């Protein structure tokens, strides 16, 4: 299970890929990764997942089944370049409103440009902030989504508590994240792909291998499906379930604030 540890100096430590770092340092390193890759982030997602991230994101939004009402409000945390928010707005026939929150201005900048090109500005708000300290009143949103974001947050338990706080009663949490592969042959192929191919493609396309080394390592350090479901329950959510995608390469966790 993901947890923070106390370091020899008495501060709290967490994982940055396979390394242990101070909690404060992790966020700085993560921010550096996404500043470096922001402009090439979308193309790298297609290369790294062989296009599968689109299928998983579509499945997440289908599971959310957004209401086709202007009063329906979604908060997409670690929303980056907007993939989830765009899909939610489209699935609501451009009625719902999505707030895209991310700690990284470079990622949001790319997202805002894409939103303008798609003509989605009226349905979207971009907010630069930390998932651990949401700048919203309690009980404000009908849904909270986070895709491939939570493993980058230093204090996952704090982010989940914040998710619970800002959701309305009856609101839904959906977390899409890389997870533990549970198919014997697939796990070996996936290991080769992750540790050999992805950092090389990253270097070819973005000129940097290190951010992609972090990304694959951080996937392995993230809690498995059951442990993460337990963390969601601990944050107060009810009816916590998960669905594996592509043999567990990714998983969608769901919880409700009742
Ligand atoms: C892998 S990207 C996911 C982007 C998008 N959700 C998607 O699925 O394409 C991870 C995002 O998490 C953001 N992030 C990392 N730490 C964060 C934090 N503490 N609060 C908010 N966003 C954070 C990064 O800036 C980055 O944009």
């Amino acid at each position: 299970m993901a947890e923070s540890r106390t370091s020899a100096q008495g501060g709290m430590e967490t994982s940055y890929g396979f390394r242990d770092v101070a909690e404060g340092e992790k966020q700085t390193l993560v921010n550096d990764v996404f500043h470096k890759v922001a402009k090439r982030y979308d193309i790298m997602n297609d290369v790294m997942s062989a296009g599968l991230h689109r299928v998983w994101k579509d499945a997440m939004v289908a599971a959310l089944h957004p209401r086709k009402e202007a009063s329906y409000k979604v908060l997409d945390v670690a929303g980056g370049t907007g993939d989830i928010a765009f899909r939610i707005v489209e699935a609501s026939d451009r009625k719902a409103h999505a707030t895209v929150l991310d700690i990284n201005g470079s990622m949001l900048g790319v997202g805002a440009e894409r939103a303008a090109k798609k003509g989605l500005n009226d349905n979207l708000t971009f907010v630069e902030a930390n998932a651990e300290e949401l700048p919203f009143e309690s009980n404000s949103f009908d849904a909270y989504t986070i895709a491939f974001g939570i493993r980058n947050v230093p204090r996952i338990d704090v982010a989940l508590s914040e998710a619970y706080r800002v959701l309305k009663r009856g609101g839904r949490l959906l977390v899409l994240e890389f997870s533990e592969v549970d198919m014997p042959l697939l796990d070996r192929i996936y290991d080769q792909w992750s540790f050999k191919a992805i950092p090389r493609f990253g270097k070819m396309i973005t000129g940097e291998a290190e951010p992609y080394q972090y990304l694959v390592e951080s996937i392995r350090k993230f809690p498995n499906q059951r442990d993460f479901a337990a963390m969601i329950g601990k944050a107060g959510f009810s009816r916590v379930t998960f669905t594996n995608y592509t043999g567990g390469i990714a998983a969608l966790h769901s919880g409700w604030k009742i």
Side-chain angles (χ1 to χ4, degrees):
M1 178 166 312
E3 57 188 34
S4 296
R5 298 159 290 275
T6 308
S7 72
Q9 291 74 35
M12 296 305 277
E13 284 191 333
T14 188
S15 307
Y16 174 75
F18 290 160
R19 275 197 286 144
D20 287 338
V21 296
E23 278 179 350
E25 192 190 351
K26 169 167 174 159
Q27 190 70 67
T28 308
L29 291 165
V30 166
N31 293 350
D32 199 35
V33 164
F34 289 103
H35 282 307
K36 279 182 185 151
V37 304
K39 289 248 177 307
R40 295 277 163 151
Y41 175 78
D42 293 308
I43 186 168
M44 265 310 286
N45 264 353
D46 279 329
V47 172
M48 278 181 1
S49 72
L52 277 172
H53 76 108
R54 293 169 184 260
V55 179
W56 300 330
K57 286 170 177 170
D58 287 346
M60 178 191 207
V61 174
L64 179 64
H65 199 56
R67 287 207 303 274
K68 298 179 178 176
E69 294 167 14
S71 60
Y72 186 73
K73 299 208 176 332
V74 181
L75 175 62
D76 182 42
V77 173
T81 60
D83 267 5
I84 299 298
F86 300 163
R87 281 171 168 77
I88 289 171
V89 169
E90 295 291 11
S92 76
D93 291 347
R94 300 199 171 204
K95 300 242 169 35
H97 187 275
T99 301
V100 184
L101 178 139
D102 201 286
I103 202 165
N104 193 304
S106 305
M107 293 290 281
L108 287 175
V110 175
E113 273 173 30
R114 292 176 78 204
K117 280 191 197 138
K118 289 173 188 285
L120 289 175
N121 279 346
D122 290 349
N123 299 77
L124 295 167
T125 308
F126 291 87
V127 175
E128 191 173 329
N130 191 336
E132 294 181 2
E133 209 174 332
L134 297 175
F136 308 111
E137 288 186 5
S138 303
N139 310 308
S140 313
F141 293 95
D142 297 287
Y144 174 113
T145 53
I146 181 164
F148 306 114
I150 196 111
R151 74 175 190 284
N152 297 296
V153 176
R155 295 181 300 165
I156 294 171
D157 53 340
V158 176
L160 290 173
S161 297
E162 277 291 86
Y164 189 85
R165 182 183 69 75
V166 301
L167 275 172
K168 296 177 188 168
R169 293 250 162 238
R172 188 168 190 195
L173 166 85
L174 281 179
V175 185
L176 179 62
E177 191 48 270
F178 291 106
S179 205
E180 190 172 87
V181 177
D182 66 354
M183 289 172 83
L185 184 58
L186 183 62
D187 59 0
R188 270 185 277 155
I189 298 168
Y190 181 53
D191 262 358
Q192 291 294 317
W193 176 253
S194 300
F195 288 99
K196 297 265 168 17
I198 289 178
R200 276 188 208 155
F201 279 126
K203 176 116 177 112
M204 269 164 51
I205 294 169
T206 69
E208 307 259 0
E210 196 278 331
Y212 291 95
Q213 189 65 31
Y214 158 70
L215 290 175
V216 296
E217 288 178 6
S218 65
I219 291 168
R220 300 314 155 94
K221 293 298 284 187
F222 191 69
N224 69 23
Q225 289 84 335
R226 273 176 190 74
D227 287 345
F228 186 52
M231 290 176 80
I232 293 174
K234 210 169 160 199
F237 288 95
S238 304
R239 291 163 54 196
V240 179
T241 55
F242 66 83
T243 309
N244 279 344
Y245 295 154
T246 320
I249 292 181
L252 181 70
H253 281 75
S254 165
W256 296 83
K257 177 169 170 179
I258 293 177

